[in-house]
């Protein structure tokens, strides 16, 4: 929320104040819109119409912007090191310090790669997964923070709504080369500073040499920057290929695991079926034994019945004969 100044009027929130903006931009993108609406409603209910309008105007951050914002909040020291490196790079660019530029460029490459990986990990901790396109935008934003003081401030504030575009050249180079020194040294370098035609004639040659040296240094810096960008692009391409292959390996591993699970389930079903079959075979054997026993008992009963019938007939005939006598 806005705070009041000494005159009682609302003041603009400062970047390091725990404002509604900070709370909103700390949320993952899926929760941003609802929280923004609720924050605007609270501001409006408190009579802060300007604050409510400002909150409603905030854009939901992209996945890449969320990752950079979260990185700035969870790893401020690492982000601060990135911004300090950016200042050193711009100073070396301004001074056309070739060796320093090469060393700082190597540090830039390592630091950007490390922070990109860190941003991916911190986003994953919040349940947000970054794809290849989002990772490229994160890297682009970090490079922009190295090249531009304005982009550096935006990254440090942790309130990005979208990725920041990387400038084609560092600001010092875009300004047209090194800043000229002021004071006596600058005055002494101008032709005619000490008067006299002979001194002016002599002053022209060193000035031309210095200008030629500056132009050559700028040319070499431009060439080195071009080579650096080409190498970095190749590395990004290789990293993308690596990520694609890693994703394919992960997908194949998941499929293999699913297939293995299917095999395990099928084998479990087969084992249960075999157990049931063995149980049924045992019951069948037992029932066959019972059947054989019952058949034998039925045969014995039939034989006994035949004998009893024969005995009955014999007794009946004997009785009839006895009666006739």
């Amino acid at each position: 929320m806005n705070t009041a100044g000494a005159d009682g009027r609302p003041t603009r929130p400062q970047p390091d104040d725990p404002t509604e903006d900070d709370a909103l931009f700390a949320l993952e993108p899926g929760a941003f819109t609802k929280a923004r609406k609720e924050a605007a409603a609270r501001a409006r209910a408190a009579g802060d119409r300007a604050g409510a309008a400002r909150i409603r105007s905030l854009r939901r951050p992209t996945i890449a912007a969320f990752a950079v914002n979260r990185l700035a909040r969870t790893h401020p020291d690492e982000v601060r090191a990135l911004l300090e490196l950016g200042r050193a790079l711009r100073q070396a660019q301004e001074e056309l310090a070739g060796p320093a530029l090469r060393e700082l460029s190597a540090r830039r490459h390592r630091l950007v790669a490390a922070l990109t990986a860190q941003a991916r990990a911190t986003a994953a901790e919040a349940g947000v997964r970054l794809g290849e396109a989002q990772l490229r935008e994160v890297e682009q934003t970090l490079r922009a923070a190295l090249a531009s003081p304005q982009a550096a401030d935006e990254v440090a504030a942790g309130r990005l709504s979208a990725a920041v575009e990387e400038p084609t050249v560092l600001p010092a180079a875009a300004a047209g080369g090194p800043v000229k020194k002021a004071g006596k040294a600058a005055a002494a370098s101008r032709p005619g500073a000490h008067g006299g035609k002979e001194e002016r004639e002599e002053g022209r040659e060193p000035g031309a040499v210095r200008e030629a040296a500056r132009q050559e240094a700028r040319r070499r810096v431009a060439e080195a920057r071009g080579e650096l960008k080409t190498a970095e692009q190749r590395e990004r391409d290789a990293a993308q290929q690596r990520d694609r292959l890693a994703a394919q390996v992960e997908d194949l591993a998941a499929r293999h695991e699913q297939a293995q699970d299917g095999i395990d389930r099928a084998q479990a079903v087969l084992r249960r079926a075999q157990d049931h079959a063995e149980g049924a075979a045992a019951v069948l054997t037992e029932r066959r034994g019972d059947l054989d026993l019952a058949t034998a008992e039925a045969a014995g009963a039939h034989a006994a019945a035949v004998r009893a019938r024969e005995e009955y007939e014999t007794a009946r005939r004997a009785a009839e004969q006895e009666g006739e006598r």
Side-chain angles (χ1 to χ4, degrees), residues 264-288:
D264 292 341
R265 288 193 297 270
Q267 288 177 340
V269 171
L270 178 60
R271 284 193 296 270
R272 288 195 296 272
Q274 289 174 338
D275 292 342
H276 291 161
E278 291 173 359
V283 172
L284 177 60
T285 300
E286 184 178 353
R287 293 298 177 266
R288 281 176 175 169

Side-chain angles (χ1 to χ4, degrees), residues 69-306:
N69 291 340
R70 183 171 172 82
L71 179 69
R73 285 179 170 81
T74 58
H75 295 79
D77 293 339
E78 289 85 342
V79 172
R80 192 176 303 112
L82 178 78
L83 305 186
E84 290 174 356
L85 177 60
R87 283 191 290 271
L89 271 168
R90 292 192 294 274
Q91 181 178 357
Q93 170 75 11
E94 180 179 329
E95 296 174 354
L96 298 177
L101 269 176
R102 285 190 291 272
E103 178 184 353
L104 293 171
S105 295
R107 287 179 54 195
R108 172 179 67 172
H109 164 72
R110 292 192 297 268
L111 188 54
V112 167
L115 287 179
T116 300
Q118 189 63 61
R120 181 179 193 176
T122 55
E125 292 172 358
V128 178
R129 181 177 179 181
L130 273 66
E132 294 181 8
Q134 288 83 17
L135 286 174
R136 286 195 295 271
E137 289 181 349
V138 169
E139 183 177 349
Q140 166 190 306
T141 300
L142 296 176
R143 292 183 184 279
L146 283 167
S148 164
Q150 180 180 354
D153 291 341
E154 292 173 353
V155 168
R159 299 179 187 175
L160 294 174
S161 295
V164 182
E165 298 231 352
E166 180 184 4
T168 55
V169 295
L170 293 176
V179 178
K180 294 181 180 180
K181 296 181 180 179
K184 294 182 180 180
S189 66
R190 293 194 298 270
H194 301 290
K197 181 177 180 181
E198 182 178 351
E199 291 177 354
R200 287 196 300 272
E201 291 294 329
E202 292 176 355
R204 288 176 184 175
E205 184 175 355
V209 171
R210 284 194 297 273
E211 179 60 27
R214 282 196 294 269
Q215 292 179 359
E216 176 63 16
R218 284 195 291 270
R219 183 187 66 80
R220 291 180 179 178
V221 168
E223 289 180 355
R225 186 182 300 110
E227 292 175 357
L228 176 61
K229 284 187 174 294
T230 299
E232 289 172 343
Q233 183 60 48
R234 289 176 179 172
E235 183 187 19
R236 285 194 291 271
D237 292 342
Q240 292 171 12
Q241 178 67 9
R242 177 202 63 203
D243 292 342
R244 283 194 293 270
L245 292 174
Q248 292 176 6
V249 169
E250 184 177 353
D251 181 60
L252 290 173
R255 293 184 183 181
H256 172 73
E257 185 175 354
Q258 291 175 354
Q260 188 61 51
D261 289 342
I263 292 173
D264 292 341
R265 288 193 297 270
Q267 288 177 340
V269 171
L270 178 60
R271 284 193 296 270
R272 288 195 296 272
Q274 289 174 338
D275 292 342
H276 291 161
E278 291 173 359
V283 172
L284 177 60
T285 300
E286 184 178 353
R287 293 298 177 266
R288 281 176 175 169
D290 293 342
L291 176 60
D292 292 341
L293 180 60
T295 300
E297 289 178 350
H302 176 69
V306 170

